[in-house]
C-alpha cells in the first residue's frame, strides 16, 4: 500500500446509490463486483439493475484483495487533463482484464511502470492507494510473480 | 425510413468565418451561417418553419436564431449532442416534414470552439463523474479527454488489426493534402509530411496534435426540405437516399466493451435504406475527431476489411483520385472542427459539383456518404446523391 504524500488534488470517486458497495470495498482494500442472480452476468460499472438482462435481482460478490489481471488496452497521457495529474506525467491509464472474470475490465493507472515496459497482455495486479483519511483508490502495478 | 428514399433533399448549406478567436457570440456566427445557407438555397428566411441545433451548452438557441432572422418559428429544438447529431437532426427534420408538421428545416451548429468552451475540456471533474455513465470509474484515473477515451479503443484495435502510427499518419496526410486545395481550410498553406508527423510527440497516445481535430470558432447551417419544395430552390438539390439516424453501443459506459463501437450497427441499416453498397460510394465524409476514428469507421462501414484498413489508407485511397476520396475539404483535422457539420456541408458541395473545373472536385461523383461519431457509444450516417 502506498500513502499519498501531500493533500490529494485528483478527483475522488463519487459514491452513489448504485456504486457504493464497490467503493466501500475499495476503501477496505477489497474488490467487490456486482453480479446478476438471474443471468449470472457481472456488471462493471455497477448499476441499478443488470445491464445484460435488466433484472433487479443483483447481488455483490467479494473477490478479496489478490486480484490478478492483464492489460487489455492503455493510453499514455503526456498532458494533464484533470487537476492533480500534472505532477505525475506521463500518466498510464489502462483497462485491466481480470484473470478470474475475463469479461470484466476495470480502468486504472498502472503505477511503478516504465512506459517502455508497458504492453497489451502484460500481467498486472490490483493495489490500493490510500488517498484520504477514509478513501482508497484501486490501482494497478506490474505483477510481482 | 426506407420509404423516404429520394423524397427529401438538402437545398442549402453555409458557414460563417472560421477563426481561432471570433470576437463575437455563437448567435452572430449562427446568423452568418444561416444567412449563407438561405442565400445558397435561394429561399427567404420566412420559408423556414423549423429550426434545430445541437450543442454542448456552448451555443445560442434555435428560438434566438429564428428571432434574429426575423422569423416566428413554428418549431424549435435544441439538443445536447455530440458529433453524430447532424445526421440525427436531419432525420428528425425529414420525419417532421413527412408527418406534415413542417415544410423546411434549418439545422445548425455554432460554437466558439476555440475561444469559448472547448468540447471535452475545462469541465468540473465532479460534474464529469456524474455526467458520464460510470464516470467515477474513469475520471479519478485522469481520463477526461475524448483523446483518452477513444485512445483506449484505438490502442487495442491497432494491436489486433496491425494498424500502425504511420497508418494514422496517412489519414492525416490525406486530409491535410485536401486542405491545401481549400483556401478556406484553417491549415491551408500548412502541408504535412510523414517525417514531421512521425516526429511530433503524442499528447495522449496514440494521438499527436495532427491526429486531433482543429477546434475553432465557427457556425454551420444546413437546410432540409421535401423533393417537391426543392424544385423552388435555386440550388441543385442533393437527395437523401437513406439514413441510419442513430445507433448505440450496448452499454452507456462504453469502456464496458471496447471491441465494438456504435458505428458497427449503422452500416447494415444505412445501406439497406439507401439501396446501395460500399462499392457504389464515390465520395465520403467520415467523422474525424481523431485519425483513428476514421480507420475504425472505414472498417465499420465496409470500405476495407478488418485488418486491411491500414493498407487501404497507405495506398492513398482517401485522397482525391483514390478509391474513396474522403474529407475533401480537409476534414476536421485540417479544415476545422464544427462538430461534424462542416463535413456534411462538404459532401453536399461535392455532389452538386460546386468545384467543377478545379482540382477539388471529385470527378463525376454521384453518391456520397456522411458519417457521424459522437463517440464509441453513439453514431449515425446518411447516404446522399445528386
Ligand atoms: Zn442479468
Amino acid at each position: 500500500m502506498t500513502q499519498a504524500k501531500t493533500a490529494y488534488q485528483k478527483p475522488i470517486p463519487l459514491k452513489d446509490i448504485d456504486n457504493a458497495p464497490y467503493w466501500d470495498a475499495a476503501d477496505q482494500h477489497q474488490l467487490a463486483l456486482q453480479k446478476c442472480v438471474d443471468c449470472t452476468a457481472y456488471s462493471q460499472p455497477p448499476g441499478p439493475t443488470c445491464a445484460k438482462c435488466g433484472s433487479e435481482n443483483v447481488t455483490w460478490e467479494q473477490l478479496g484483495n489478490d486480484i490478478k489481471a492483464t492489460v487489455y488496452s492503455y493510453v499514455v497521457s503526456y498532458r494533464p487533463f484533470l487537476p492533480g495529474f500534472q505532477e505525475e506525467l506521463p500518466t498510464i491509464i489502462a483497462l485491466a482484464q481480470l484473470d478470474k472474470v475475463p469479461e470484466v475490465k476495470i480502468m486504472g493507472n498502472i503505477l511503478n511502470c516504465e512506459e517502455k515496459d508497458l504492453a497489451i497482455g502484460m500481467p498486472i495486479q490490483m493495489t490500493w492507494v490510500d488517498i484520504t483519511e477514509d478513501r482508497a483508490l484501486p490501482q494497478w502495478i506490474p505483477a510481482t510473480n | 425510413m426506407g420509404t423516404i428514399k429520394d423524397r427529401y433533399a438538402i437545398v442549402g448549406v453555409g458557414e460563417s468565418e472560421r477563426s481561432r478567436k471570433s470576437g463575437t457570440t455563437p448567435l452572430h456566427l449562427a446568423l452568418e451561417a444561416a444567412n449563407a445557407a438561405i442565400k445558397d438555397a435561394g429561399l427567404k428566411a420566412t420559408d423556414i418553419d423549423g429550426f434545430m441545433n445541437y450543442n454542448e451548452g456552448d451555443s445560442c438557441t434555435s428560438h434566438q436564431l429564428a428571432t434574429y432572422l426575423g422569423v416566428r418559428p413554428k418549431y424549435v429544438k435544441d439538443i445536447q449532442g455530440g458529433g453524430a447529431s447532424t445526421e440525427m437532426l436531419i432525420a428528425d427534420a425529414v420525419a417532421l416534414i413527412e408527418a406534415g408538421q413542417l415544410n423546411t428545416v434549418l439545422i445548425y451548429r455554432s460554437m466558439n470552439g476555440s475561444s469559448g468552451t472547448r468540447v471535452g475540456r475545462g469541465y468540473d471533474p465532479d460534474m464529469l463523474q456524474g455526467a458520464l455513465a460510470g464516470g467515477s470509474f474513469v475520471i479519478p484515473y485522469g481520463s477526461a479527454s475524448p483523446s483518452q477515451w477513444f485512445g483506449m479503443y484505438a490502442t487495442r484495435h491497432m494491436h489486433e488489426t496491425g494498424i500502425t502510427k504511420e497508418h494514422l499518419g496517412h489519414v492525416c496526410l490525406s486530409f491535410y493534402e485536401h486542405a491545401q486545395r481549400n483556401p478556406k481550410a484553417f491549415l491551408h498553406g500548412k502541408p504535412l509530411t510523414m517525417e514531421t508527423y512521425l516526429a511530433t510527440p503524442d499528447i495522449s497516445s496514440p494521438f499527436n496534435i495532427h491526429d486531433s481535430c482543429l477546434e475553432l470558432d465557427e457556425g454551420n447551417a444546413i437546410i432540409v426540405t421535401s423533393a417537391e419544395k426543392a424544385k423552388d430552390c435555386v440550388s441543385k438539390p442533393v437527395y437523401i437516399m437513406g439514413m441510419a439516424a442513430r445507433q448505440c453501443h450496448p452499454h452507456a459506459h462504453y469502456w464496458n466493451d471496447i471491441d465494438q463501437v456504435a458505428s458497427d450497427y449503422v452500416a447494415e441499416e444505412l445501406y439497406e435504406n439507401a439501396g446501395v453498397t460500399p462499392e457504389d460510394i464515390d465520395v465520403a465524409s467520415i467523422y474525424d475527431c481523431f485519425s483513428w476514428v476514421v480507420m475504425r469507421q472505414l472498417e465499420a462501414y465496409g470500405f476495407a476489411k478488418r485488418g486491411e484498413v491500414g493498407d487501404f489508407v497507405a495506398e492513398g485511397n482517401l485522397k482525391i483520385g483514390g478509391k474513396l476520396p474522403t474529407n475533401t475539404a480537409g476534414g476536421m483535422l485540417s479544415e476545422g472542427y464544427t462538430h461534424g457539420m462542416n463535413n456534411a456541408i462538404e459532401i453536399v458541395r461535392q455532389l452538386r459539383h460546386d468545384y467543377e473545373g478545379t482540382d477539388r472536385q471529385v470527378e463525376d461523383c454521384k453518391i456520397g456518404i456522411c458519417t457521424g461519431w459522437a463517440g464509441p457509444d453513439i453514431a449515425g450516417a446518411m447516404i446522399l446523391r445528386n
Side-chain angles (χ1 to χ4, degrees):
Chain A
M1 130 185 31
T2 323
Q3 193 72 41
K5 287 163 205 76
T6 51
Y8 196 71
Q9 291 176 20
K10 296 173 185 172
I12 294 169
L14 293 176
K15 292 183 186 179
D16 65 26
I17 191 170
D18 299 319
N19 69 26
Y22 179 95
W23 295 115
D24 288 344
D27 292 341
Q28 303 303 315
H29 295 198
Q30 302 279 318
L31 176 65
L33 291 177
Q34 192 183 45
K35 192 175 185 180
C36 178
V37 176
D38 291 339
C39 81
T40 75
Y42 289 88
S43 283
Q44 179 59 23
T49 64
C50 170
K52 187 103 179 187
C53 76
S55 169
E56 294 175 12
N57 196 4
V58 290
T59 184
W60 285 86
E61 189 170 290
Q62 303 299 324
L63 281 88
N65 64 2
D66 183 19
I67 309 300
K68 299 279 201 298
T70 54
V71 173
Y72 195 74
S73 192
Y74 62 86
V75 299
V76 183
S77 293
Y78 302 90
R79 277 192 207 162
F81 290 91
L82 286 169
F85 288 88
Q86 66 277 6
E87 311 298 336
E88 294 165 30
L89 296 173
T91 304
I92 298 173
I93 307 168
L95 208 53
Q97 181 174 34
L98 302 191
D99 285 2
K100 279 189 189 147
V101 195
E103 65 269 36
V104 171
K105 297 176 186 81
I106 300 178
M107 202 181 286
N109 303 122
I110 305 182
L111 312 176
N112 309 335
C113 179
E114 294 285 325
E115 196 186 324
K116 63 175 174 48
D117 300 326
L118 180 63
I120 285 175
M122 170 184 162
I124 50 179
Q125 64 189 58
M126 193 174 263
T127 186
W128 286 264
V129 180
D130 293 320
I131 55 175
T132 68
E133 197 96 320
D134 54 358
R135 296 297 303 273
L137 186 67
Q139 290 284 27
W140 301 93
I141 52 172
T144 48
N145 52 2
Chain B
M1 292 292 289
T3 59
I4 64 122
K5 189 177 179 187
D6 301 336
R7 293 179 42 232
Y8 292 88
I10 295 173
V11 294
V13 294
E15 70 263 274
S16 72
E17 291 273 304
R18 59 172 64 96
S19 68
R20 282 275 188 220
K21 198 171 188 314
S22 69
T24 187
T25 63
L27 176 56
H28 279 262
L29 297 175
L31 279 164
E32 194 183 337
N35 279 317
I38 290 164
K39 186 177 173 205
D40 183 51
L43 291 169
K44 300 188 301 294
T46 47
D47 293 329
I48 297 161
D49 48 4
F51 293 82
M52 300 179 178
N53 121 311
Y54 60 104
N55 63 79
E56 304 262 359
D58 56 1
S59 195
C60 59
T61 68
S62 299
H63 203 169
Q64 285 174 304
L65 175 63
T67 297
Y68 293 106
L69 286 168
V71 178
R72 185 195 71 83
K74 183 179 178 193
Y75 183 102
V76 291
K77 173 154 79 179
D78 305 291
I79 64 155
Q80 291 262 329
S85 302
T86 297
E87 292 77 12
M88 191 194 74
L89 290 179
I90 290 173
D92 287 5
V94 166
L96 283 159
I97 300 170
E98 181 81 4
Q101 293 292 303
L102 295 173
N103 291 309
T104 301
V105 178
L106 184 142
I107 300 162
Y108 69 98
R109 177 72 174 107
S110 183
M111 60 208 278
N112 277 327
S114 168
S115 69
T117 316
R118 302 180 78 160
V119 172
R121 281 199 227 160
Y123 299 136
D124 173 66
D126 284 355
M127 183 282 285
L128 271 180
Q129 284 199 50
L132 284 185
S136 65
F137 294 83
V138 177
I139 299 300
Y141 299 106
S143 186
S145 153
S147 65
Q148 298 166 304
W149 302 341
F150 307 167
M152 195 66 84
Y153 271 73
T155 306
R156 179 75 197 186
H157 182 252
M158 290 167 73
H159 171 80
E160 284 187 6
T161 62
I163 291 171
T164 64
K165 182 76 181 167
E166 191 164 331
H167 289 140
L168 299 186
H170 282 292
V171 174
C172 302
L173 262 59
S174 302
F175 299 173
Y176 272 65
E177 192 176 301
H178 296 155
Q180 307 319 309
R181 307 179 186 201
N182 173 10
K184 286 184 172 175
F186 199 74
L187 295 185
H188 180 75
K190 295 189 175 153
L192 179 66
T193 64
M194 186 60 81
E195 199 182 0
T196 304
Y197 171 81
L198 291 173
T200 306
D202 285 347
I203 295 167
S204 185
S205 68
F207 305 131
N208 67 32
I209 187 101
H210 303 296
D211 295 297
S212 314
C213 59
L214 195 62
E215 294 167 296
L216 297 171
D217 298 351
E218 186 174 347
N220 286 174
I222 286 178
I223 299 171
V224 180
T225 194
S226 63
E228 197 60 33
K229 284 222 156 39
K231 289 178 193 152
D232 301 333
C233 296
V234 299
S235 58
K236 287 183 218 161
V238 169
Y239 296 98
I240 299 167
M241 296 183 80
M243 305 194 76
R246 181 154 277 196
Q247 287 283 0
C248 298
H249 189 283
H251 205 296
H253 176 88
Y254 51 76
W255 300 274
N256 179 277
D257 180 357
I258 66 167
D259 297 323
Q260 56 176 322
V261 295
S263 306
D264 292 333
Y265 294 89
V266 176
E268 194 183 340
E269 184 188 19
L270 176 71
Y271 292 123
E272 195 186 309
N273 287 343
V276 300
T277 66
E279 291 71 36
D280 298 319
I281 305 291
D282 302 314
V283 59
S285 280
I286 309 284
Y287 197 89
D288 58 332
C289 50
F290 297 99
S291 55
W292 169 83
V293 168
V294 175
M295 308 287 277
R296 186 64 183 80
Q297 290 176 92
L298 290 171
E299 177 185 317
Y301 289 96
F303 291 114
K305 287 201 187 82
R306 183 177 175 84
E308 296 174 9
V309 180
D311 288 341
F312 184 81
V313 301
E315 286 160 7
N317 285 314
L318 302 184
K319 296 182 185 181
I320 293 175
K323 280 185 195 153
L324 187 74
T326 296
N327 297 4
T328 48
M332 296 192 289
L333 296 184
S334 54
E335 183 192 34
Y337 171 78
T338 322
H339 226 157
M341 198 176 277
N342 54 317
N343 283 354
I345 288 175
E346 173 65 6
I347 207 84
V348 168
R349 289 178 173 152
Q350 282 289 355
L351 291 170
R352 296 196 309 206
H353 295 191
D354 281 7
Y355 307 122
E356 205 61 75
T358 77
D359 63 357
R360 290 181 66 184
Q361 183 63 47
V362 174
E363 240 177 279
D364 206 26
C365 65
K366 294 182 180 71
I367 299 177
I369 188 172
C370 183
T371 76
W373 162 289
D377 49 341
I378 292 173
M382 59 183 175
I383 292 176
L384 308 173
R385 72 164 178 85
N386 57 20

